[in-house]
Amino acid sequence: MDDDQGGSLMIKINANCWNEHGELKTVMVCSPSSVDVPDQRTADYVGWEKPVNQEKAKENHEEMIRAMETAGVKVIDYSQYLTDEARELNHQLINRVFVRDLACVYGNKVIPGDSGTTMRAPEYVHSHELFQSWFDKKTFSIEDNNGLKALENGDVFVLNKDAVFINSGMRSSIESVEELKQRIFQAGFSEIGIIDLPRTGETMHLDMNCNVAGADLLIAKSYMRLFPVQVISEKRGRYVMMEEFINHQGFDVFWTDDIKHTVADINFLNLDPETLLVSTKANKKIVKDHPKLKGKNLIEVDVNELEKGGGGIRCMTLPFERG
């Protein structure tokens, strides 16, 4: 690490993510805001589920970081690298903990997202300015989100070396996916599956509705089986049902019928092919109900205060490198 002229620490990262389940080596996080959400009325106004005490949230966040570091993951808290000017505003941004939305690593290419709400726009600016010094110019270009109208990366899954799965829903526009598709193909992927989920708080992002749970299994809320997916390649486009698209990529789908979901159940993080980092509030019935999940090593962390903001562990982690 070196100091730049502004006094903030700079690092260099080799981006490498071709799936959601490989061994996690480097991940970015951001510690919670210094600003509490004091009551339910305020929480409703800002789109959070419940009031949040940020001191408790910080304790939860530190526990999550410790769990990842104990598993051998390098954890980078981007708030520690901000300039003084950016830091002054950033620590007041209540959603800054949800770093997944800020960018996505498509293979060896880091493509910046674009906020679907102006409330979160400063986080994108602050983090993307850092990325310019963290990654070489072939890996990251801040201009890559020029032309995007909204694309938050909680709506993106890199399924494998061939396919990406994207939701054009509440916070990500189909216009942005169209704008981005050539860059995704140039990064080495041959297919993009696009689903259009309902525009509600509960279905805000794709990763609040489904998640990769290993090399050959995707967990999904049962209602998603009724949705078609537009599959586009450089040469053609077609429509198939979601399960057909996911099966074609080598995954079985575990439809979680008859389970009342909270964000904790779906929004976990793969630490390696056999290990999931999950919330203590996650419904263990989901894991016990599928033969491909019974042997999984579950590392549980208490992120209860953080989840009141409407996101979970996946929302709070941005993988930069997987083995």
Side-chain angles (χ1 to χ4, degrees):
M1 295 186 182
D2 300 301
D3 286 339
D4 72 352
Q5 292 179 346
S8 60
L9 293 170
M10 292 294 109
I11 54 182
K12 297 298 181 183
I13 304 166
N14 295 316
N16 186 55
C17 284
W18 294 94
N19 59 57
E20 302 281 339
H21 62 272
E23 181 184 356
L24 183 61
K25 294 184 176 181
T26 307
V27 69
M28 189 182 84
V29 301
C30 183
S31 57
S33 169
S34 61
V35 181
D36 289 342
V37 177
D39 51 54
Q40 188 60 50
R41 188 176 186 185
T42 304
D44 292 340
Y45 282 142
V46 300
W48 282 26
E49 292 180 2
K50 297 177 182 178
V52 170
N53 178 301
Q54 297 292 15
E55 285 304 314
K56 290 182 180 177
K58 287 176 183 176
E59 291 174 7
N60 282 184
H61 198 256
E62 288 167 3
E63 180 180 341
M64 184 183 75
I65 289 173
R66 283 195 300 271
M68 291 190 289
E69 289 180 335
T70 299
V73 181
K74 179 181 179 180
V75 182
I76 300 166
D77 183 340
Y78 91 78
S79 68
Q80 297 178 4
Y81 300 86
L82 296 169
T83 63
D84 291 342
E85 181 181 2
R87 187 180 295 114
E88 179 60 30
L89 172 61
N90 195 271
H91 79 88
Q92 302 175 71
L93 302 174
I94 61 170
N95 291 303
R96 73 176 194 165
V97 70
F98 300 123
V99 297
R100 176 71 65 152
D101 300 321
L102 302 177
C104 181
V105 181
Y106 295 86
N108 302 122
K109 178 75 172 174
V110 181
I111 300 180
D114 187 73
S115 178
T117 171
T118 53
M119 186 178 186
R120 298 203 59 189
E123 305 162 46
Y124 288 72
V125 174
H126 295 161
S127 61
H128 298 167
E129 287 176 346
L130 287 175
F131 292 174
Q132 289 185 96
S133 61
W134 290 2
F135 300 102
D136 62 49
K137 290 182 179 179
K138 289 183 179 179
T139 302
F140 176 81
S141 171
I142 203 164
E143 286 80 24
D144 271 347
N145 69 351
N146 289 351
L148 300 189
K149 299 184 183 300
L151 200 147
E152 298 189 351
N153 288 282
D155 278 323
V156 178
F157 281 89
V158 176
L159 295 177
N160 53 40
K161 289 189 175 184
D162 296 318
V164 174
F165 191 27
I166 301 179
N167 173 44
S168 61
M170 185 175 181
R171 293 286 185 86
S172 298
S173 69
I174 187 62
E175 293 84 1
S176 293
V177 179
E178 289 289 334
E179 177 72 23
L180 197 63
K181 65 182 182 182
Q182 286 304 323
R183 295 178 198 134
I184 295 174
F185 294 143
Q186 289 165 8
F189 298 89
S190 58
E191 283 193 336
I192 303 169
I194 305 167
I195 197 168
D196 185 358
L197 297 182
R199 289 153 173 77
T200 70
E202 187 179 355
T203 56
M204 181 184 298
H205 288 139
L206 186 59
D207 65 7
M208 297 170 71
N209 297 267
C210 66
N211 205 347
V212 171
D216 57 359
L217 186 68
L218 183 128
I219 297 177
K221 293 181 180 180
S222 297
Y223 83 90
M224 294 179 71
R225 70 169 81 228
L226 302 177
F227 280 72
V229 170
Q230 181 185 11
V231 184
I232 58 175
S233 65
E234 291 191 87
K235 295 183 178 180
R236 69 180 186 128
R238 68 189 192 281
Y239 283 92
V240 299
M241 297 306 288
M242 176 183 155
E243 187 163 24
E244 182 180 341
F245 170 70
I246 296 299
N247 289 164
H248 181 67
Q249 304 308 327
F251 294 84
D252 291 336
V253 183
F254 175 27
W255 302 108
T256 55
D257 299 285
D258 304 321
I259 295 175
K260 183 179 179 181
H261 285 285
T262 66
V263 67
D265 300 331
I266 293 287
N267 206 263
F268 51 80
L269 178 71
N270 290 265
L271 294 183
D272 61 49
E274 303 303 326
T275 308
L276 303 179
L277 185 66
V278 303
S279 166
T280 52
K281 290 179 65 179
N283 187 343
K284 306 306 182 296
K285 184 177 186 292
I286 294 175
V287 178
K288 294 176 181 176
D289 275 359
H290 198 283
K292 290 185 177 180
L293 292 174
K294 289 180 180 178
K296 290 281 185 181
N297 176 28
L298 301 184
I299 299 176
E300 297 185 52
V301 289
D302 180 358
V303 287
N304 179 53
E305 198 71 16
L306 293 162
E307 288 168 340
K308 293 176 182 177
I313 292 172
R314 188 181 193 271
C315 298
M316 295 182 282
T317 51
L318 172 52
F320 282 148
E321 184 180 9
R322 286 191 181 275

